[in-house]
Amino acid sequence: MTLRLFVSRDAAAIAVGAHRLVRELTRAAEALGVDIDIIRNGSRGMLWLEPLVEVEVAGVRYGFGPVEPGDIAPLVAAGLFDPARVAVIAHPKALGPADKIPYFARQTRLTFARCGITDPIDLPDYLAHGGYLGLQRALSLGPDAIVAEVTRSGLRGRGGAGFPTGIKWKTVASTPPQQKYIVCNADEGDSGTFADRMIMEGDPFVLIEGMTIAGIAVGATKGYIYCRSEYLHAIAALNEAIDVARAAGLLGPRVAASPYAFDLEVRMGAGAYVCGEETALLDSLEGKRGMVRAKPPLPAHKGLFGRPTVINNVLSLAAVPFILAEGAQAYADYGVGRSRGTMPIQLAGNIRYGGLYETAFGLSLGELVDEIGGGTASGRPVKAVQVGGPLGAYFPRALFDTAFDYEAFAARDGLIGHAGIVVFDDTADMAKQARFAFEFCAIESCGKCTPCRIGSTRGAETLDKIMAGVDVGANMEIVTDLCHTMKLGSLCALGGFTPYPVMSAITHFPDDFVPARPLMAAE
Ligand SMILES: Cc1cc2nc3c(=O)[nH]c(=O)nc-3n(C[C@H](O)[C@H](O)[C@H](O)COP(=O)(O)O)c2cc1C
Ligand code: SF4
């Protein structure tokens, strides 16, 4: 009998030796004459346990991790390849049933339901785990009812702005029939974020299905996935899955034998943070340098090649198959206030249990960082948490009661963004972090508007003076004034939101901006 093992093909697992481990496991099995089949699944998201090896016995997958090559011989001697002994192996790397590990078991996985479970490119496996039920129901409903269903679910854009997805779709659907497009924003530029990458590598069919449903809903026949250039594994997985879906008739001139046509292409990003901004992304997709476009016109009216275009983040589109398959209410039942459904939260930075944690909106920041994330990896006290990427605010421990919900974060001058949480311990210098925000903006600015292009450089220079103790009071006023100008005068959120990390660092960590020995301007 063939013994089934699972080792992730996720880039994070590969980075810590998953490929090598597969080679060594294969060699060990061959040497013993044991028949094994190693399935390269996506990651379950417990990144500190990668490479995670799972061995399936009677439908239960027993986890071992993080497995290093040196662990293989003792694990095999203890019974890794012996179905009768796998469940009772006593070894420091033995974790018991993988789906019972509390970090995994406590999640509500709607979007990531299959990630880490299935073989990402195996269509029958996808179908066996509820795949394409969303499309099936969508086809039975028709375009208007699909849009209504997505609207009722309360789904808001997961790329950062939190705009209601159903309203965006309705706007495109309401434009006169013509060539329309679905564009998936897979640029994933925010620091500490990796959920888009994980789902594209670990369950690409869910994104393909979501985009197909979006196409049918708004009358678009063509979709593009704009994927950041660093994501080579994701691009490969998507291309493989698209070929499989097309061969199965799930993409092409008659999607699943319906009258609807829809097809997809993956395009590699240009490597600029600003190309994640939707209008700069469109320029880049059109082969131009990524520059932010003034709105109106909205992309929904005049988007890619001047045609009505839905632009959605990977996670927004990947949430759609569940919403259609299970119904809007099943999704809306999760969450709090106007933040409905679940959010795949990414725990990163100096954190003990870093990884992906999908849960309903509403947990407090403290629960996420301390209980789920286990505090810092360094073991030192948490000093600050940046939420929402490089344009997100720094939260001190005093604000750890903030609920993970769009409005609760906005009420505290923060943003959820793409739900990346980056943890810093007490060695972090928040003045340096504030300077970094300006510097990042200066490097990544598209240069179209003055507050962002000039303000970011002046901001970094002024913070240098503050950190050197030059005229601290007056220079603090200049930074505050600059932030005000950038917030109100920038064309897009790159310049407009850079004040969040800067001002939150100043407000919550004022001591870091007091130099040891203040100097006067003349010194
Ligand atoms: C500077 C900047 C960078 C952005 N980067 C991304 C990104 O990498 N991925 C993303 O989905 N949205 C990004 N956005 C947000 C997009 O402009 C847009 O709101 C999003 O793609 C819409 O999709 P959604 O409604 O599904 O969130 C960025 C915005 C700005 C201003
Ligand atoms: S805010 Fe910055 S990135 Fe955005 S349009 Fe202006 S210059 Fe370009």
Side-chain angles (χ1 to χ4, degrees):
M1 202 190 74
T2 306
L3 188 65
R4 296 208 322 157
L5 275 70
F6 296 79
V7 178
S8 174
R9 53 181 275 166
D10 184 277
I14 294 169
V16 289
H19 281 346
R20 179 168 172 209
L21 207 61
V22 167
R23 284 195 298 273
E24 307 244 345
L25 283 166
T26 308
R27 246 196 306 269
E30 275 168 8
L32 291 169
V34 181
D35 185 14
I36 64 167
D37 178 16
I38 303 181
I39 293 147
R40 303 304 303 272
N41 55 335
S43 173
R44 287 186 188 258
M46 297 176 281
L47 297 181
W48 74 98
L49 293 178
E50 295 289 1
L52 176 70
V53 175
E54 295 171 46
V55 184
E56 188 179 65
V57 179
V60 178
R61 282 158 60 166
Y62 296 90
F64 302 86
V67 180
E68 290 158 39
D71 294 322
I72 293 180
L75 279 172
V76 169
L80 192 73
F81 294 153
D82 180 354
R85 290 195 288 156
V86 169
V88 292
I89 289 177
H91 187 279
K93 301 286 173 80
L95 303 164
D99 59 358
K100 298 282 188 301
I101 298 170
Y103 187 97
F104 189 83
R106 284 179 62 187
Q107 297 184 43
T108 303
R109 289 198 157 210
L110 309 186
T111 303
F112 276 73
R114 278 168 297 260
C115 192
I117 311 298
T118 54
D119 176 341
I121 313 299
D122 186 334
L123 184 59
D125 207 6
Y126 183 69
L127 297 174
H129 288 83
Y132 277 109
L133 288 179
L135 177 70
Q136 199 179 317
R137 178 147 176 270
L139 288 171
S140 74
L141 290 175
D144 291 350
I146 299 174
V147 174
E149 196 76 356
V150 172
T151 307
R152 260 202 311 275
S153 75
L155 178 66
R156 292 167 70 177
R158 303 299 192 224
F163 188 80
T165 305
I167 294 178
K168 192 181 280 189
W169 288 20
K170 193 170 170 46
T171 311
V172 176
S174 311
T175 59
Q178 57 189 298
Q179 179 63 57
K180 301 179 188 178
Y181 297 104
I182 307 296
V183 172
C184 171
N185 190 341
D187 202 47
E188 196 159 56
D190 282 359
S191 41
T193 63
F194 44 83
D196 293 353
R197 179 188 61 68
M198 277 188 65
I199 202 83
M200 290 188 289
E201 291 177 2
D203 192 14
F205 288 122
V206 79
L207 177 59
I208 295 168
E209 184 183 352
M211 290 184 73
T212 309
I213 294 169
I216 293 166
V218 306
T221 53
K222 177 90 197 194
Y224 290 94
I225 302 171
Y226 183 92
C227 187
R228 67 178 294 145
S229 55
E230 291 88 344
Y231 284 0
L232 296 177
H233 298 91
I235 292 171
L238 285 168
N239 279 323
E240 270 185 83
I242 287 170
D243 286 347
V244 171
R246 200 180 286 125
L250 293 162
L251 288 174
R254 285 169 52 79
V255 168
S258 75
Y260 299 101
F262 189 74
D263 216 328
L264 265 179
E265 246 181 77
V266 182
R267 289 290 171 91
M268 196 189 272
Y273 181 70
V274 78
C275 285
E277 193 283 333
E278 56 186 10
T279 60
L281 184 154
L282 293 177
D283 267 12
S284 179
L285 253 186
E286 291 176 5
K288 303 171 195 154
R289 173 180 159 195
M291 293 281 282
V292 174
R293 299 178 185 174
K295 289 188 246 183
L298 293 172
H301 292 130
K302 249 177 141 234
L304 187 63
F305 306 117
R307 303 293 184 162
T309 303
V310 165
I311 306 182
N312 273 136
N313 173 252
V314 173
L315 300 180
S316 317
L317 291 160
V320 167
F322 175 90
I323 292 166
L324 268 296
E326 304 291 331
Q329 195 56 48
Y331 193 75
D333 279 346
Y334 294 100
V336 287
R338 289 180 49 228
S339 305
R340 307 311 317 172
T342 59
M343 188 74 207
I345 294 168
Q346 299 124 89
L347 299 174
N350 189 344
I351 192 159
R352 196 159 171 215
Y353 302 124
L356 183 116
Y357 195 91
E358 181 175 350
T359 185
F361 285 98
L363 286 185
S364 74
L365 188 54
E367 281 173 289
L368 287 164
V369 173
D370 292 331
E371 286 177 33
I372 294 156
T376 63
S378 63
R380 301 183 66 92
V382 175
K383 177 169 181 175
V385 175
Q386 189 177 28
V387 184
L391 312 176
Y394 288 100
F395 278 69
R397 190 167 268 289
L399 297 182
F400 271 19
D401 61 340
T402 311
F404 209 80
D405 138 35
Y406 291 101
E407 279 66 42
F409 263 67
R412 289 187 159 170
D413 286 332
L415 52 117
I416 285 181
H418 190 45
I421 295 184
V422 180
V423 178
F424 295 80
D425 74 11
D426 62 350
T427 60
D429 179 337
M430 302 312 291
K432 284 190 183 153
Q433 292 306 121
R435 191 200 182 280
F436 171 72
F438 275 134
E439 185 189 4
F440 179 82
C441 181
I443 292 169
E444 298 293 340
S445 168
C446 83
K448 188 157 182 161
C449 60
T450 317
C452 168
R453 188 182 69 246
I454 307 290
S456 53
T457 300
R458 294 289 166 267
E461 288 168 359
T462 313
L463 274 175
D464 280 341
K465 288 183 195 158
I466 291 167
M467 286 191 279
V470 178
D471 232 351
V472 174
N475 279 317
M476 279 298 229
E477 274 179 39
I478 292 176
V479 167
T480 309
D481 188 44
L482 256 176
C483 282
H484 188 68
T485 306
M486 287 177 71
K487 199 169 170 179
L488 298 180
S490 297
L491 182 59
C492 86
L494 179 44
F497 285 17
T498 292
Y500 279 91
V502 175
M503 291 311 297
S504 58
I506 292 174
T507 306
H508 301 307
F509 307 95
D511 293 350
D512 286 13
F513 293 81
V514 179
R517 186 182 71 87
L519 302 175
M520 294 317 293
E523 280 191 69

